[in-house]
Amino acid sequence: MLFRSGEYFGDLWVKRGGKAIAFGSRFVRVTSKSRIAGMALTGEGFASGDAIKHYSTGDVITGRIKVEGVREGFALEVSQRDNYGRVVAREAFPLGADADAIDFTLTPLSHLSVLQNVEARLLDGDAVLDTRREAFTYDDLFPDPDDVHHVL
């Protein structure tokens, strides 16, 4: 089983005669020489202290992803997902052995939720080596005033 870089909890049960006689949990940080070293969204309205970045619906989503230890044949897949997990934009970037950073631009097809995520995945063929996510919001996504709204 291949674990991608990240933070995990592992649970262990020791059983004798079908009964648990001991158990434990452990935090494990999985690292790799080939990894996403950093990810930052960029935009005109961003302040350095913003906990969550925000865009307007007319903006394209831009950013920079730093990578380390990549080899020829690796790729970086950058996708934008709305709060319901739907992919609204996706780009793939082949990486060379000398790659250290990628600047990306995503143009979403639709704006269906205020909260969005940009996800970067470092790929070696079909294997996902590392994943990073960055959240942002749309600050001008307002409902059509002619729509009927129900609040439950």
Side-chain angles (χ1 to χ4, degrees), residues 115-129:
L115 183 62
Q116 305 271 321
N117 285 288
V118 173
E119 180 182 73
R121 299 185 329 150
L122 181 61
L123 304 171
D124 181 10
D126 290 336
V128 179
L129 302 178

Side-chain angles (χ1 to χ4, degrees), residues 1 5 22 25 36 52 56 62 65 76 80 88 127 134 136 148:
M1 175 181 228
S5 294
S25 295
I36 298 173
I52 294 187
S56 296
T62 57
I65 300 168
L76 190 66
Q80 178 183 342
V88 295
E134 189 78 29
F136 70 92
V148 176

Side-chain angles (χ1 to χ4, degrees), residues 8-12 24-28:
Y8 300 92
F9 280 98
D11 294 322
L12 176 69
S25 295
R26 185 78 163 164
F27 171 78
V28 178

Side-chain angles (χ1 to χ4, degrees), residues 61 78-81 86-91 106-110:
I61 310 307
V78 183
S79 59
Q80 178 183 342
R81 294 179 182 268
R86 298 173 289 206
V87 176
V88 295
R90 178 180 284 155
E91 290 289 332
L106 297 173
T107 305
L109 299 174
S110 60

Side-chain angles (χ1 to χ4, degrees), residues 23 29 38 67 83 115 127 132 142:
F23 63 91
R29 179 175 286 126
V67 293
N83 198 38
L115 183 62
R132 286 283 177 101
F142 300 106

